[in-house]
Amino acid sequence: MKDFIERWLGTLFGLIFMGLSVVVTVETVMRKVFTVSLQGADELGGYALAIGATIAFSLALIGRTHIRVDVFHERLPAWLQTALNWLSVTSLAAFAGLMAWLAWFVIRDTQAYQSVAQTPWATPLVYPQSAWLLGLIMFALVSAAFAIHASILLLSGRTDELNADYGPRSTKQEVDEEVEDLKTRSSDDAPHVHHITAPGARA
């Protein structure tokens, strides 16, 4: 399930910025060739950045790439490491829920005032803000699921599993993952080499 969500969010993230790159390319060509502007590339770029950031929150949580200050973490007693790991994931879930809750009030005010973007398109802000809210809700749901799982592991005494799943990644783990990813991409990108025997030579 986690892999499915990560793949789906990663695909959506990529599509958003691929679409933005197409718009920017068309905008640049039209300006240079026809001296005409769509007058909306900057606006769409702001929306893509805001929405993409909320998706990146979830991707970073799933991939355990959120920054944690772990200078002293490995030197602490095992019980304190477990407590800090549990606290980190539960506090992040609370923060994610708070962001989604506050975003809802932002959209409610936008609807009440019928706010529009201060751009030539005058886009009703409720539309991009709704997509932004959905990203924050997804982040809140993912982080809440992780917090519940971590709490179950803590209460059941499975502290080693909790530390492995929610503790900060070591330098060795990061290097191993990068090397494995490089091997996977190299094998996928490598052309298929067919053995060709020269005429008259033995195979």
Side-chain angles (χ1 to χ4, degrees):
M1 184 63 179
K2 184 173 71 171
D3 292 339
F4 171 78
I5 295 175
E6 186 175 18
R7 189 181 307 111
W8 181 79
L9 290 175
T11 301
L12 179 60
F13 183 89
L15 289 175
I16 289 174
F17 286 94
M18 284 182 62
L20 177 62
S21 66
V22 171
V23 173
V24 171
T25 301
V26 172
E27 166 79 2
T28 303
V29 172
M30 290 183 66
R31 281 187 176 185
K32 294 295 183 181
V33 179
F34 304 106
T35 64
V36 176
S37 174
L38 297 176
Q39 299 182 346
D42 293 341
E43 180 180 353
L44 291 178
Y47 300 151
L49 181 61
I51 298 169
T54 63
I55 298 174
F57 294 160
S58 297
L59 289 172
L61 178 58
I62 294 173
R64 294 172 60 199
T65 54
H66 278 292
I67 296 175
R68 287 184 59 181
V69 181
D70 58 350
V71 177
F72 303 106
H73 187 273
E74 295 182 356
R75 303 179 182 180
L76 297 174
W79 67 269
L80 186 52
Q81 290 186 29
T82 301
L84 290 175
N85 291 333
W86 176 83
L87 181 61
S88 68
V89 68
T90 52
S91 59
L92 184 61
F95 179 66
L98 177 62
M99 286 199 301
W101 182 62
L102 293 176
W104 165 250
F105 288 102
V106 172
I107 292 180
R108 192 176 65 177
D109 290 342
T110 298
Q111 289 178 320
Y113 293 108
Q114 297 184 349
S115 302
V116 297
Q118 301 299 310
T119 62
W121 286 4
T123 305
L125 290 178
V126 68
Y127 299 122
Q129 285 181 356
S130 295
W132 170 65
L133 174 61
L134 288 176
L136 290 175
I137 291 175
M138 174 59 69
F139 178 46
L141 291 175
V142 171
S143 58
F146 277 37
I148 293 172
H149 181 241
S151 298
I152 292 174
L153 293 178
L154 180 65
L155 294 175
S156 60
R158 296 151 63 186
T159 56
D160 290 341
E161 189 174 346
L162 189 154
N163 291 330
D165 290 345
Y166 301 105
R169 296 191 304 171
S170 64
T171 303
K172 183 178 183 304
Q173 286 178 318
E174 294 181 359
V175 172
D176 290 343
E177 288 182 10
E178 290 296 331
V179 171
E180 186 63 30
D181 183 62
L182 179 61
K183 289 180 180 179
T184 301
R185 286 187 281 113
S186 298
S187 61
D188 291 341
D189 296 339
H192 296 288
V193 179
H194 300 280
H195 181 72
I196 302 176
T197 304
R202 294 184 178 180

